[in-house]
Amino acid sequence: MEQIKAHLDQIATLSKFDWEFFMSKLHRRVIPKKTVFLKLNEIENHISFIESGVVRLYIPKDNPEKEITFGFSFENQFISAYDSFLTQKPSAYELQALTETTLVSISYNDLQDVYKTTQIGNLIGRLTAERLFLIKSKREQNLLNLSAEERYMKLFKDRPELLKEVPLKYVSSYIGVTAQALSRIRKRL
């Protein structure tokens, strides 16, 4: 729980009451490697903080080679099918642990209690939502403004751990190219 406390302390100062109330609503989950822990059309009921591990966000297809990976989350980041979480409607994508992943999670209902009961809950919720929006916006801008090679270089400059943790087929999907095109890009570099 210390990792999430340190992360939240960077956002805002929590009173002892706020922290203890928030912490009482959290539970730890360990997700085995390669496990899909939110399936297509399920309603996301948690927002989670990644203590360790890597999570992939993707749109499944009948042919696994055609899956569309559109996001990764890492240690010390929040993860959720956030649109499904907010609306409490079925998710249009899946969440998969690429490595054994330890999450500290809060349910939708418990988070609503935190918002109502604590002084700092709404601020933390807003700042977390803003962070998730900025990540999404940055990704969209990169897809529109950068070449595939530039997206690849930027991805590994920003996230060098991807090389160790994420299969290249997911990286190629994430940057919007085929596995063969990614292979050519890697050869040129």
Side-chain angles (χ1 to χ4, degrees), residues 39-187:
K39 293 184 178 2
L40 184 69
N41 294 321
E42 289 181 350
I43 295 173
E44 174 66 274
N45 193 43
H46 295 92
I47 189 163
S48 302
F49 181 80
I50 302 173
E51 284 190 331
S52 65
V54 179
V55 175
R56 171 173 83 118
L57 296 85
Y58 71 102
I59 300 168
K61 300 291 182 184
D62 290 336
N63 177 352
E65 297 300 315
K66 303 284 185 187
E67 292 175 346
I68 302 168
T69 297
F70 65 91
F72 300 103
S73 288
F74 303 91
E75 183 175 311
N76 294 321
Q77 292 184 335
F78 285 95
I79 183 67
S80 181
Y82 198 58
D83 49 345
S84 173
F85 181 80
L86 288 175
T87 63
Q88 290 295 281
K89 301 235 187 280
S91 176
Y93 51 94
E94 297 187 346
L95 303 180
Q96 178 186 39
L98 294 181
T99 63
E100 180 176 279
T101 301
T102 302
L103 304 174
V104 177
S105 301
I106 188 167
S107 72
Y108 180 85
N109 290 334
D110 284 343
L111 186 59
Q112 302 314 305
D113 286 346
V114 169
Y115 289 160
K116 287 182 219 160
T117 306
T118 66
Q119 293 180 356
I120 203 76
N122 282 316
L123 175 64
I124 291 170
R126 189 191 90 227
L127 293 174
T128 300
E130 288 172 359
R131 181 197 155 276
L132 292 169
F133 169 77
L134 291 173
I135 290 169
K136 183 179 184 307
S137 177
K138 182 178 172 184
R139 167 146 165 74
E140 289 171 357
Q141 290 173 40
N142 286 344
L143 282 171
L144 294 170
N145 294 316
L146 301 178
S147 69
E149 190 168 311
E150 290 168 326
R151 290 192 303 271
Y152 177 79
M153 293 300 294
K154 183 168 180 29
L155 180 63
F156 286 106
K157 180 180 171 224
D158 294 346
R159 289 287 178 190
E161 66 271 30
L162 273 173
L163 279 173
K164 293 179 241 157
E165 303 290 348
V166 177
L168 290 177
K169 66 182 179 180
Y170 301 150
V171 173
S172 65
S173 175
Y174 180 75
I175 64 171
V177 299
T178 64
Q180 296 81 2
L182 178 58
S183 179
R184 288 191 294 274
I185 290 169
R186 290 169 49 93
K187 283 180 184 173

